[in-house]
Amino acid sequence: RNPVRPGSRHRHPLSDPRRDTVGRHSGHILSRTSRNREGNAGIVDARGYLRVLRNWAWILIASVLLAGGAAYLVSSALPKTYQSTATLIVGQSLQSTNPDINQLLASQRLSQTYASLATTTSMLARVVDTVGLNEPADVLRKNVVVTAATDSTLITITATDGDAQRAARIANALSDALIAKNSAVGGR
C-alpha cells in the first residue's frame, strides 16, 4: 500500500469521477459505467457483469438442475407409447412406365377414399380380430390415424400403443385389411 502524501494528486477511489461507479438501490446493482475525461458515459465494464454473474451463479445452476430433475420426474411418470407406421401406394402408377395424369389424379382421389374407409368400424373390427385385441373397434379408432396427402397417392397408417410389437401388428393388420378390401391398393 502506498501512503498518500500531502499535496499529491491522488484522490480517494470513491471520489474520483473517472472511476467506475456503481448505483445501488436496496442492495441491487442498477448500472455500471465508466466515464471518460469529459464525464460522458462510456463502455460498460465487463468485470461488473462477471462479478454479478459470479454472485448469482448458484441460482442459475440450481434452476437448471431443478428444471432438469422436474422434467425427468414428469417424463418417467408418463406411460410409454410407441408408434408404428405402414405406408400404402394407391393405384397402378408404379406399374406403368409413363403414367397418365388422369390415372394419377384418380389415384389421388382414391387414396382419400381409402383413408376414410380404413377407420370404419368394420375395418377396425377386422383388425381387432386379426391381432386379438381385448378392446372394441371404437377404442382402437382413437389409437389409429390414417392420412392421405392431397397431392400424393400414398396412404399412411399410424398405430399408437403401449407395446411396440402390438403397435406394429395393428398398423400391418390394418394395411392388410385395406389391401384385401380392394385390389386397387398395392404395395407397402
Side-chain angles (χ1 to χ4, degrees):
R1 295 186 185 186
N2 294 333
V4 179
R5 287 184 241 133
S8 70
R9 300 190 78 193
H10 181 71
R11 295 182 184 171
H12 189 273
L14 297 178
S15 66
D16 188 359
R18 294 174 296 173
R19 178 148 173 89
D20 294 342
T21 59
V22 177
R24 294 189 179 267
H25 183 271
S26 302
H28 298 288
I29 294 179
L30 297 176
S31 66
R32 182 164 183 89
T33 59
S34 60
R35 300 198 179 268
N36 58 18
R37 293 181 191 254
E38 290 80 30
N40 297 329
I43 301 171
V44 176
D45 186 9
R47 286 178 294 178
Y49 285 129
L50 290 175
R51 190 175 319 121
V52 170
L53 184 62
R54 191 174 348 117
N55 290 339
W56 294 95
W58 68 273
I59 290 179
L60 179 65
I61 293 170
S63 298
V64 168
L65 291 175
L66 184 66
Y72 173 75
L73 289 175
V74 168
S75 66
S76 64
L78 293 175
K80 293 189 178 4
T81 57
Y82 299 93
Q83 284 187 338
S84 182
T85 303
T87 303
L88 303 174
I89 299 173
V90 176
Q92 305 294 327
S93 59
L94 288 180
Q95 294 177 352
S96 63
T97 56
N98 290 328
D100 183 18
I101 187 68
N102 292 328
Q103 189 179 19
L104 288 173
L105 291 174
S107 295
Q108 288 175 0
R109 289 186 187 122
L110 277 174
S111 65
Q112 298 290 329
T113 303
Y114 291 140
S116 298
L117 178 67
T119 56
T120 60
T121 303
S122 63
M123 292 294 283
L124 293 175
R126 189 180 297 182
V127 172
V128 167
D129 292 339
T130 303
V131 177
L133 300 175
N134 295 329
E135 57 190 29
D138 293 333
V139 174
L140 180 60
R141 183 176 289 119
K142 296 175 185 174
N143 297 329
V144 174
V145 176
V146 181
T147 57
T150 56
D151 59 346
S152 174
T153 60
L154 298 177
I155 297 174
T156 304
I157 300 169
T158 304
T160 305
D161 196 83
D163 180 23
Q165 297 297 324
R166 189 170 46 224
R169 286 196 317 265
I170 292 170
N172 289 332
L174 186 55
S175 64
D176 290 342
L178 195 57
I179 290 170
K181 185 75 171 174
N182 195 314
S183 61
V185 178
R188 265 189 234 186

